[in-house]
Every structure is written in structure tokens, then in C-alpha cells.
Amino acid sequence: MSRVCELTGKRAMVGNNVSHAMNKTKRKFFVNLFKKRFYIPEEDKWVTLKVSTAALKTINKLGIAAVLKKAKADGFIK
């Protein structure tokens, strides 16, 4: 499985490690992902999603139903 948030589409970014001597080597900045189960009362079922911490904060603020609706509209969920 890829390291991509299923709700926001966040994925790894590419950058450089920079030493004191200004030598640069490629590196990746990975997303802070968690595998989390959510209960959706409208459908009366549990869903397991791989979400970033930013998505978790959004779910806490807006609710899982609103975030899933937005993710479907943005094309992250089929």
C-alpha cells in the first residue's frame, strides 16, 4: 500500500538533506499516517481508513460524514 492519506490525498514530498558543508543528498518527507477505524452512523457500519493527522483534526472538527462527502467530491474516494 502506498503512503497516501485516503481523505486528503497527502503524499510524500521530495527534498534534500543538507550537511554543514552544504552537500545535498535526496530524501523524502513522509506523511504522518495512521490506520484508524471510524463508525458511520448513517450507514451503520465501521470503515478503516489510512488518514493523516491533519485529516484526523478535520474529522474531529467537522465530523466523519462531512469529510467523507468532501473526499468523494474531490475524487479521493470512489
Side-chain angles (χ1 to χ4, degrees), residues 5-25:
C5 178
E6 295 178 350
L7 295 180
T8 61
K10 287 187 172 205
R11 56 182 61 233
M13 292 173 48
V14 178
N16 289 314
N17 276 329
V18 181
S19 70
H20 186 69
M22 297 301 284
N23 298 327
K24 294 169 183 70
T25 56

Side-chain angles (χ1 to χ4, degrees), residues 5-8 34 36-40 47 49-68 71 77:
C5 178
E6 295 178 350
L7 295 180
T8 61
F34 292 97
K36 190 93 169 116
R37 285 179 71 216
F38 298 100
Y39 179 70
I40 303 170
V47 178
L49 297 171
K50 194 186 287 188
V51 295
S52 63
T53 51
L56 278 175
K57 289 173 76 173
T58 306
I59 291 168
N60 287 338
K61 184 176 182 180
L62 303 176
I64 185 68
V67 175
L68 283 174
I77 297 177

Side-chain angles (χ1 to χ4, degrees), residues 22-46:
M22 297 301 284
N23 298 327
K24 294 169 183 70
T25 56
K26 285 291 186 183
R27 64 159 292 179
K28 279 192 171 183
F29 294 92
F30 291 109
V31 183
N32 193 9
L33 291 178
F34 292 97
K35 208 169 189 182
K36 190 93 169 116
R37 285 179 71 216
F38 298 100
Y39 179 70
I40 303 170
E42 291 83 13
E43 300 176 18
D44 192 36
K45 66 177 183 178
W46 289 89

